[in-house]
Amino acid sequence: MNATRWLEVRFWRLVFLVLAATGTVAAVLRFTRGLGASTNLSDQFPWGLWIGFDVLCGVGLAAGGFTITAIVYVFNLKRFTPIIRPTVLTAFLGYVFVAVALLFDLGQPQRIWHALVMWNPHSVMFEVAWCVMLYTSVLALELSPIVFERLNLERPRRIVHAVSVPLVIVGVILSTLHQSSLGSLFLIVPEKLHPLWYSPLLPVLFFVSAIAAGLAMVIVESYLSQRAFNHHLEMDLLEPVGRAMVVALSIYGILRLQDLARRGVLPTLRHPGYEGGMLLLEVGLGVLLPIVLLAIPKVRMRQAGLVTSAFLAVLGFVMHRLNVSITGMERAAGVSYFPSWMEVAVSLALVAVGFAIFGWAVQYLPIFHNPQGSSPAPRG
Amino acid sequence: MQRRGWKREAAWLAVAVLILAGHAAAQQLRLPPDLTYSEAEGSPGKVVFSHQLHTAVADKCTACHVKLFRMLRPARQVTHADMEAGKSCGACHNGQMAFGPTDAAGCPRCHAGEGKPS
Amino acid sequence: MKGAILFDGTKCIGCEACVAACKEQNNLPATVDPELTAYTWTVVEQRDKAFVRRMCMHCESPTCASVCPVGAFQKQPDGPVTYDASRCMGCRYCIMACPFGVPKYQWDRTVPIVQKCTLCPDRIARGEAPACASVCPTGATTFGDRDQLIGEARRRLAAAPKSYVPRIYGLEEVGGTSVLILSGVPFAGLGLRTDLPLQPLPMLTWQVLSKIPDFVVVGGAFLYGIWWITNRRTDVQKRSTQQAAQPK
């Protein structure tokens, strides 16, 4: 291991320790002193970073799970099989991250199970809760063959493998429902959410952006795996993912533009204020720039171009969700919100732990090997 | 809060009159009736509390309710010990904001007896 | 009887008797917060020379009841929108969604619940008016059947048209509320939202949610169809390669 590599490993280990330590302190404060003392939330601003980032972004960035499994199992594009295992693992860890973040955000987290027995089918949040719970189970099932393989439990592995296709279809349905419903949550506040983000199309926009973000995360995850474990995906698999990203981002961009134009808010961007500026940043950096970059074959064919575009798309995605849940709600709330250090510490610590678990899983489970019984991925 | 000057209560009354004058029908302020407190041993006379007198010097009901006095189920007894501790009447009737129990005017100022507002 | 409250802003003198009575009735701390909080369930605000009461509007089609994932809020047939604290897990969607900014949270507690005006269901059950209505010295706050109060409000508007803005706030806003407000000054000047739709807000999400069963069926069939088509193609390819490999 050369000196730079040694330093890099040491550096990230230190980052992990610092984040885990501050996160633990913040967690103790959250549960001993209550939400008021540990967050900058208030009656005027009841939802902050833990909803805007941990829940809204966490669920969206895990969308690669249903996209890639659909591509391989439903659309039968078998050459993308090597992408499935790391993507499904990322997705599963993403949903676990969301669940743990919710335990911090809920005022009475010990009652998180209430939605299982106390039903309100008129509530979007009820539907999100159920779909997320069911889908996390689907992801766990989709991951189980990897564990069975490791433990040499052939029979269970074969049983799960036999129901792959129906399982994936159920997963796509559940994902479409809850990815879009995260947007539907905000349909009920037309008088509060800023017109640059409020739209009857919110469910569609959230769903399409989730597809684009999921695909971007496939590329990002491949890049990070290469840095951390010296394993990477071949460009001939990632480049088509990049192309699919252009399509998804373009559809999203067109829908967004159409929606803004039809609702008559485009002229307000001529003299953008705070909100206008945030929107231009979000769409410019996170939608337009990646589309332009990825549309150029020279950029798309090179890893640097592909990875940069993917990071930009992820950034734009996160910005959109934070703009909807925070920026867009500030004016009507009459207060400006910025997370407390404890909110940031908890979120970062959870992300760090997620990364750590991913690394641990790669070490002990056949994440980067093709599933048994599947044909080797054809080259070229 | 109580004020010693008359300007504030006059202005308050003027505003109330203006608002009330907008109505075709005459409107009466339905204040709670006078409250008679029960006499303890050695009391020189019944204490009758008049809302009419006191609303002239307190701008809102929340000046006294509910931090000093209950409203829906009023207590019927106040002792001098309570007052000296700054509770109930004693929050204002302490010799500074309003006359106190040891005032020169003596006991009859409060203990005026039946039918007479104090 | 569908219990409702009529608040006539032209009669309010800002005395806060309602605030005090509410505090006592619900065993709340005596301190009066300037805005609604988990511990102050009604406030009287002064805007210029006019006073307005803020409290739960007890909507006919409450947004809070629609968004709560565990159904903690219910609109009762006799008027109040009640909150069942034993269900609440503290997601705070109600606080985020209420168009009138009514539900408030106990941010200072480690086991917090949402709090808001209850319209005194115990008192109503005993045939009494809510605490606020029972102590109002001017009759600005009165309690009664919603339809009868609407009739009374219309009578007042007709009898003294110069004293009032010709509108009953809460008659139709977001599908109507059980707290009706009359005012001598424009409602927007009192801090009451005048940009609310007439349609109840829950319709906005129900439009999406009601389509879910159809989507599940159609989507499932669609995805299965794609799999069938693409799988057949691979099957056909496999079979043709097998046939080509067979010795003739």
Side-chain angles (χ1 to χ4, degrees):
Chain A
M1 204 196 290
N2 60 28
T4 338
R5 174 91 188 131
W6 184 87
L7 258 175
E8 205 184 336
V9 169
R10 275 310 189 94
F11 171 72
W12 286 112
R13 285 223 184 112
L14 184 66
V15 167
F16 172 78
L17 282 172
V18 168
L19 289 179
T22 33
T24 310
V25 172
V28 169
L29 290 171
R30 152 70 186 98
F31 291 113
T32 52
R33 302 231 189 123
L35 283 170
S38 54
T39 69
N40 282 341
L41 301 170
S42 61
D43 287 324
Q44 289 70 32
F45 220 88
W47 285 0
L49 187 75
W50 288 341
I51 298 288
F53 176 71
D54 296 41
V55 175
L56 295 186
C57 293
V59 171
L61 291 173
F66 81 90
T67 329
I68 298 297
T69 50
I71 286 174
V72 173
Y73 285 104
V74 176
F75 290 86
N76 264 298
L77 296 171
K78 295 291 184 202
R79 73 183 207 274
F80 292 101
T81 308
I83 305 185
I84 293 186
R85 287 186 167 191
T87 307
V88 172
L89 178 64
T90 308
F92 179 72
L93 289 177
Y95 277 81
V96 169
F97 161 76
V98 169
V100 175
L102 267 178
L103 292 176
F104 279 87
D105 186 76
L106 286 177
Q108 295 208 39
Q110 79 283 5
R111 289 180 171 182
I112 194 171
W113 57 271
H114 274 203
L116 285 171
V117 293
M118 297 172 192
W119 291 12
N120 179 11
H122 287 256
S123 162
V124 175
M125 188 166 290
F126 173 77
E127 187 245 322
V128 171
W130 266 91
C131 286
V132 168
M133 281 191 282
L134 289 173
Y135 184 61
T136 311
S137 317
V138 165
L139 282 170
L141 275 174
E142 287 177 352
L143 267 182
S144 62
I146 307 177
V147 179
F148 293 145
E149 230 176 78
R150 177 76 170 82
L151 298 173
N152 279 317
L153 296 167
E154 178 58 16
R155 186 114 194 282
R157 190 204 67 79
R158 239 188 317 189
I159 295 174
V160 176
H161 186 75
V163 296
S164 300
V165 176
L167 200 60
V168 165
I169 290 181
V170 167
V172 173
I173 301 278
L174 287 172
S175 291
T176 310
L177 288 177
H178 70 255
Q179 294 287 357
S180 56
S181 291
L182 287 179
S184 302
L185 284 173
F186 293 87
L187 285 176
I188 207 155
V189 284
E191 78 288 353
K192 294 188 192 182
L193 182 54
H194 195 281
L196 282 177
W197 288 280
Y198 184 85
S199 159
L201 277 187
L202 272 169
V204 177
L205 292 173
F206 266 60
F207 175 64
V208 177
S209 65
I211 294 186
L215 293 170
M217 280 304 283
V218 167
I219 297 172
V220 168
E221 183 269 312
S222 166
Y223 168 73
L224 292 175
S225 293
Q226 181 183 348
R227 297 297 299 256
F229 320 114
N230 222 17
H231 175 95
H232 65 279
L233 292 164
E234 297 296 334
M235 277 300 290
D236 61 349
L237 288 182
L238 289 181
E239 192 261 340
V241 172
R243 261 189 288 146
M245 248 180 78
V246 178
V247 176
L249 282 173
S250 302
I251 294 177
Y252 172 79
I254 291 170
L255 281 171
R256 201 76 201 277
L257 190 67
Q258 231 181 19
D259 173 68
L260 287 171
R262 201 178 294 145
R263 287 185 302 109
V265 290
L266 272 184
T268 63
L269 291 173
R270 216 172 287 150
H271 303 283
Y274 166 62
E275 282 95 355
M278 293 293 272
L279 178 84
L280 289 172
L281 209 61
E282 169 203 319
V283 175
L285 272 187
V287 181
L288 289 176
L289 194 53
I291 290 178
V292 164
L293 286 174
L294 287 171
I296 305 171
K298 276 217 196 96
V299 174
R300 198 174 62 236
M301 305 284 195
R302 284 174 51 235
Q303 192 188 331
L306 200 60
V307 171
T308 310
S309 312
F311 267 109
L312 283 172
V314 169
L315 178 70
F317 172 83
V318 169
M319 278 200 72
H320 175 242
R321 304 270 160 132
L322 289 177
N323 279 339
V324 168
S325 56
I326 298 178
T327 317
M329 298 290 284
E330 279 180 321
R331 191 176 288 262
V335 298
S336 148
Y337 163 83
F338 196 82
S340 67
W341 73 263
M342 288 159 281
E343 292 175 80
V344 177
V346 165
S347 299
L348 288 180
L350 291 179
V351 171
V353 169
F355 273 96
I357 297 179
F358 190 95
W360 176 87
V362 163
Q363 234 186 329
Y364 291 103
L365 295 172
I367 300 288
F368 292 123
H369 300 122
N370 276 346
Q372 278 174 12
S374 67
S375 43
R379 293 283 180 228
Chain B
M1 298 305 275
Q2 290 190 29
R3 302 262 198 279
R4 276 289 185 186
W6 60 269
K7 286 204 183 92
R8 196 190 151 86
E9 61 184 59
W12 187 88
L13 280 169
V15 167
V17 164
L18 276 169
I19 292 174
L20 297 174
H23 262 278
Q27 178 184 277
Q28 291 217 306
L29 216 62
R30 185 174 60 88
L31 286 177
D34 289 349
L35 200 69
T36 309
Y37 281 93
S38 56
E39 281 184 273
E41 269 206 44
S43 161
K46 278 206 164 72
V47 176
V48 179
F49 172 85
S50 161
H51 267 102
Q52 205 143 14
L53 270 175
H54 284 83
T55 51
V57 294
D59 61 346
K60 291 184 191 174
C61 310
T62 42
C64 302
H65 298 290
V66 293
K67 58 180 186 250
L68 298 171
F69 297 97
R70 285 205 305 261
M71 200 182 206
L72 302 169
R73 290 154 291 129
R76 287 306 181 131
Q77 197 170 63
V78 178
T79 64
H80 273 245
D82 290 335
M83 290 177 59
E84 270 149 42
K87 288 196 230 162
S88 66
C89 314
C92 296
H93 287 277
N94 50 17
Q96 280 131 33
M97 275 194 261
F99 66 88
T102 50
D103 204 63
C107 311
R109 204 157 172 199
C110 288
H111 294 272
E114 197 89 56
K116 288 201 200 138
S118 40
Chain C
M1 167 180 88
K2 263 178 45 179
I5 288 214
L6 174 63
F7 174 75
D8 190 329
T10 63
K11 294 178 188 253
C12 181
I13 56 173
C15 73
E16 294 193 348
C18 49
V19 177
C22 175
K23 290 273 184 179
E24 185 181 330
Q25 176 69 24
N26 298 293
N27 289 315
L28 297 169
T31 325
V32 179
D33 302 302
E35 281 183 331
L36 292 180
T37 67
Y39 306 107
T40 299
W41 299 358
T42 186
V43 289
V44 178
E45 291 172 5
Q46 181 166 19
R47 310 266 176 153
D48 279 333
K49 290 192 181 56
F51 295 99
V52 65
R53 259 192 82 191
R54 304 308 301 265
M55 55 186 283
C56 175
M57 300 294 280
H58 296 281
C59 304
E60 298 290 282
S61 191
T63 308
C64 56
S66 162
V67 300
C68 177
V70 292
F73 291 92
Q74 299 281 332
K75 174 73 172 179
Q76 302 301 333
D78 57 348
V81 174
T82 53
Y83 165 76
D84 183 353
S86 68
R87 291 183 159 229
C88 178
M89 53 180 186
C91 75
R92 310 185 302 282
Y93 196 5
C94 55
I95 303 178
M96 183 268 200
C98 174
F100 300 105
V102 165
K104 301 292 180 188
Y105 211 45
Q106 293 178 328
W107 298 98
D108 56 325
R109 303 247 172 121
T110 47
V111 187
I113 53 174
V114 172
Q115 296 281 263
K116 68 170 189 73
C117 159
T118 60
L119 211 60
C120 296
D122 296 342
R123 292 178 66 104
I124 295 181
R126 287 199 299 268
E128 293 169 14
C132 54
S134 69
V135 297
C136 179
T138 61
T141 296
T142 49
F143 174 78
D145 173 74
R146 187 173 188 263
D147 294 323
Q148 282 176 0
L149 287 177
I150 292 173
E152 169 61 26
R154 290 202 168 116
R155 266 192 294 279
R156 294 187 200 179
L157 291 179
K162 290 220 187 70
S163 313
Y164 291 99
V165 170
R167 180 168 156 203
I168 304 172
Y169 191 88
L171 184 64
E172 290 175 324
E173 278 76 1
V174 293
T177 66
S178 289
V179 171
L180 306 158
I181 303 180
L182 295 175
S183 170
V185 300
F187 289 100
L190 294 176
L192 294 169
R193 296 198 80 115
T194 48
D195 58 347
L196 294 173
L198 299 183
Q199 188 199 43
L201 294 176
M203 287 310 297
L204 294 168
T205 50
W206 185 241
Q207 278 166 5
V208 174
L209 288 177
S210 56
K211 300 200 175 81
I212 286 180
D214 290 342
F215 170 78
V216 172
V217 173
V218 172
F222 174 69
L223 289 167
Y224 175 74
I226 293 186
W227 172 80
W228 188 82
I229 293 173
T230 54
N231 201 45
R232 252 188 75 76
R233 213 180 286 151
T234 350
D235 265 352
V236 166
Q237 267 180 1
K238 238 188 263 171
R239 219 171 295 147
S240 59
T241 22
Q242 277 174 357
Q243 279 177 350
Q246 269 173 11
K248 294 212 178 61

